[in-house]
Amino acid sequence: MIGWGARVTEPERPVLLEYLATHFGVTRPQPAPSPAGAELLGTRCHVCHDSALIDQQRLNVDGWRREIGKMRAWGARLTDPEQATLADYLAVR
Ligand code: HEC
């Protein structure tokens, strides 16, 4: 990127690399999927369909919250806190 014109000074370089490695590195530790999320998936989502539709999706937490909100509008039975727990679970599993 520096070769393409990004302006980064020598002293800034290690700071930037550290930040990128921490927040976007491939070895960034992921939070463990919660058992509560797995339980909600089994009891509230598999009522209407199996996991195939769910496994195809690669969404982040916000995307899952929206998707689960849509499912609630279609009849999935979850409270707001359960929706948050399940979205967190689906985003990291
Ligand atoms: C009341 C029935 C019902 C429940 C409960 C339900 N779904 Fe769905 N879901 C559907 C229907 C109907 C579709 C559309 C199926 C299709 O397109 O073939 C769907 C589709 C989906 C899709 C595919 C993308 C899309 O939007 O069409 C995803 C992802 C999904 N559901 C996730 C979930 C999750 C996560 C839960 C648990 C919170 C859940 N569903 C619970 C009825 C339900």
Side-chain angles (χ1 to χ4, degrees), residues 25-57:
V26 288
T27 57
R28 178 167 49 126
Q30 293 282 337
S34 79
E39 167 88 21
L40 289 169
L41 180 65
T43 57
R44 312 297 170 78
C45 305
H46 293 166
V47 182
C48 293
H49 54 74
D50 65 18
S51 274
L53 282 172
I54 296 166
D55 293 343
Q56 291 165 5
Q57 307 291 320

Side-chain angles (χ1 to χ4, degrees), residues 44-45 48-49 53-54 57 64 67-68 70-71 74-76 78 86 90:
R44 312 297 170 78
C45 305
C48 293
H49 54 74
L53 282 172
I54 296 166
Q57 307 291 320
W64 277 117
E67 183 66 36
I68 296 165
K70 184 167 102 180
M71 293 303 134
W74 289 2
L78 293 102
L86 181 57
L90 290 170

